[in-house]
Amino acid sequence: EMLVSERTQLLNDKSIQIDSNDDDEKRKRLLTIVALSASMLVQSFLLVGVFPYSGFMAMHLIPTLNEENAGSYAGLIASSFMVGRAISSFGWGRVSDRYGRVFVIKVSLLTSAVFSILFGLSSTFYMA
């Protein structure tokens, strides 16, 4: 059994032996790379996707706002998202050490999807 530590690579050549005739292993490795790339694309979109409409969302959630003063509230929406990510990153690191990277990636994608939907459906500024 291979010893896994924090420095273990996700796609270690020693852990995946690929023969020139073994198409199944090549396909698994390619699917792993595609899945990780898709996950990064989705997470990046969630990260920057809030910026274009956060001002309009602030004006919708706080009826007294106009286009001139909505920017500061839009900044609060975007910055609170980043503060939440920064605070929770240490916890996710501990969970990853204990339960593994694959578990954390799956749970992270699921919780990102759920909270993104809740964010889009928020009816008050404080809920957003």
Side-chain angles (χ1 to χ4, degrees):
E1 186 172 315
M2 190 172 125
L3 186 63
V4 179
S5 74
E6 188 175 311
R7 296 177 185 218
T8 304
Q9 297 176 358
L10 289 175
L11 295 173
N12 190 351
D13 289 334
K14 295 176 184 173
S15 66
I16 302 175
Q17 297 295 329
I18 299 177
D19 296 333
S20 59
N21 297 331
D22 197 0
D23 289 336
D24 231 14
E25 290 297 323
K26 287 180 183 177
R27 188 174 299 118
K28 284 181 185 177
R29 187 173 186 150
L30 180 64
L31 286 175
T32 301
I33 292 170
V34 168
L36 287 172
S37 299
S39 297
M40 288 302 300
L41 179 69
V42 169
Q43 290 290 10
S44 299
F45 178 75
L46 289 175
L47 178 67
V48 298
V50 70
F51 296 125
Y53 59 85
S54 60
F56 297 107
M57 186 174 190
M59 288 190 308
H60 175 73
L61 296 175
I62 304 173
T64 59
L65 291 182
N66 57 28
E67 290 180 7
E68 292 177 5
N69 58 5
S72 60
Y73 289 94
L76 285 174
I77 291 173
S79 63
S80 65
F81 177 73
M82 295 307 293
V83 167
R85 282 181 66 118
I87 291 171
S88 67
S89 65
F90 294 106
W92 281 117
R94 288 188 186 139
V95 172
S96 177
D97 289 343
R98 183 172 181 126
Y99 297 106
R101 297 177 187 133
V102 174
F103 174 77
V104 168
I105 289 172
K106 289 178 181 178
V107 172
S108 172
L109 288 173
L110 179 66
T111 56
S112 292
V114 169
F115 284 113
S116 293
I117 292 169
L118 291 175
F119 175 73
L121 297 174
S122 61
S123 57
T124 66
F125 181 76
Y126 296 105
M127 185 178 170

